[in-house]
Every structure is written in C-alpha cells, then in structure tokens.
Amino acid sequence: EDEDGKMMAKVMSAQNDPDKIASSQAKPKEADGPIADGSKGMAFIKTRPNVKLEGLLPAYAQNLKAMAQEYGEMTGDSLLVKSGVRTKEQQRALHNADPTAAKPGRSLHEFGLALDIDGSDLDKADELGLMRKYGFTRPVGGEDWHMEPAGIQGNIKKAKEDQNFAEEATGASLYKGGG
C-alpha cells in the first residue's frame, strides 16, 4: 500500500471511531446550581456610553441579568455591553460606515434579540458554563462578541416577526446555549 492509501485508511478509521466522534461533539460546559433570579444582575452589567438596553426582549433581558448576576458572584467582574438595542436609523448608519454590518431591518439588535458584549467576558462566561445554562450562543462566525438567544436559532425570521414566539423560544433557551 502506498503512503496516501495508509493516510486515507487512518482518516477513515478516525472518522468511524465512536470515541473520537463523541469527544469531538462534546456538549459545552454547563454551570451547576439553580438559575439566578437576576435581581442583582444589573450590578454586574456595564455599558459603553449611549448603549441602550431598553427594548430588549423581556426574556432575553431576564436571562442576561441572571447570567450577569451569577457571573459577577463567581468572578467579581462585570459583563461589558459594547452595543445594545439599535433603531433602524442607527443600524443604517452602522451599515453605511461598515458594509459588513447587517443591513437595516436584518440585524437582531433592532428586534431586541442581540447584544455585543466584550468577547473576553463571553469567553469567561462560556468557560464557566454560563452561556449554556442561560441559553445564549454566539452564532456569527468571527464575531466572538455577538450574543443571541439559542432558542431562536431555528427560526430567526419568525422571532423577528412574532414577539410571542421570540419570548417563548428565548425562555426555552435555558440549558441549550454555549459557544
């Protein structure tokens, strides 16, 4: 057998090894303990000037405050929110300044379903298992700061159009996030 054949056999063997497949698909870590009530969460959320949290979907805001509370109690640190809820006009200005940003009407920030939080803060929250526990995900590749509810990922269009659906899906995100 030639070297290419041996290498291909190793790759095929590794792809079919259940232990290797299971370890490569491990669930994100999940923090232990009950869900925090979020009553002390705002003490552990810092925002940049002009960042608006008003207008967040209520379930998103509740999960955020609960995660921030537990994060702060575990680390003594706060989550830094760099960008929050945006109007269509703010999104248009952002897109005009940076064409890679979503076009107006397409950003989940406009619907109260996304925040941009310091990436290192989210990395730490993920390492602690808090992203999974509180149902948050970072679905935009290359944007480690962008956080959305995991529960809306299956139907983002409906989440934008139907606040009741978005609220239910976000509430159902608990223990399903991470990453």
Side-chain angles (χ1 to χ4, degrees), residues 128-179:
L128 294 169
L130 298 175
M131 293 282 288
R132 180 167 181 76
K133 183 175 182 177
Y134 290 97
F136 293 113
T137 189
R138 297 185 278 183
V140 181
E143 292 189 9
D144 67 345
W145 58 86
H146 182 85
M147 186 177 83
E148 300 174 7
I152 68 165
Q153 299 307 304
N155 199 339
I156 289 174
K157 183 178 187 290
K158 187 171 182 180
K160 289 178 178 179
E161 295 169 351
D162 182 349
Q163 187 170 5
N164 289 330
F165 169 79
E167 189 74 15
E168 286 177 27
T170 300
S173 294
L174 296 175
Y175 302 106
K176 295 180 182 167

Side-chain angles (χ1 to χ4, degrees), residues 12-27:
M12 294 304 288
S13 173
Q15 287 177 339
N16 295 319
D17 182 334
D19 292 330
K20 287 188 170 96
I21 292 170
S23 68
S24 70
Q25 296 175 346
K27 284 192 330 188

Side-chain angles (χ1 to χ4, degrees), residues 91-107:
Q91 189 64 35
R92 181 176 289 110
L94 180 62
H95 177 72
N96 289 343
D98 177 5
T100 64
K103 292 179 180 177
R106 301 184 115 192
S107 172

Side-chain angles (χ1 to χ4, degrees), residues 64-75:
L64 171 68
K65 289 186 286 188
M67 182 173 82
Q69 177 177 326
E70 190 166 348
Y71 179 85
E73 290 171 350
M74 292 173 83
T75 67

Side-chain angles (χ1 to χ4, degrees), residues 53-58 60-61 84-86 107-115 149 170:
L53 297 179
E54 297 79 23
L56 278 176
L57 186 76
Y60 187 114
V85 177
R86 300 182 196 134
S107 172
L108 289 177
H109 288 269
E110 296 171 76
F111 298 89
L113 291 167
L115 291 174
T170 300

Side-chain angles (χ1 to χ4, degrees), residues 78-94:
S78 296
L79 298 173
L80 175 60
V81 181
K82 294 182 170 187
S83 186
V85 177
R86 300 182 196 134
T87 64
K88 193 171 194 170
E89 293 73 30
Q90 289 169 323
Q91 189 64 35
R92 181 176 289 110
L94 180 62

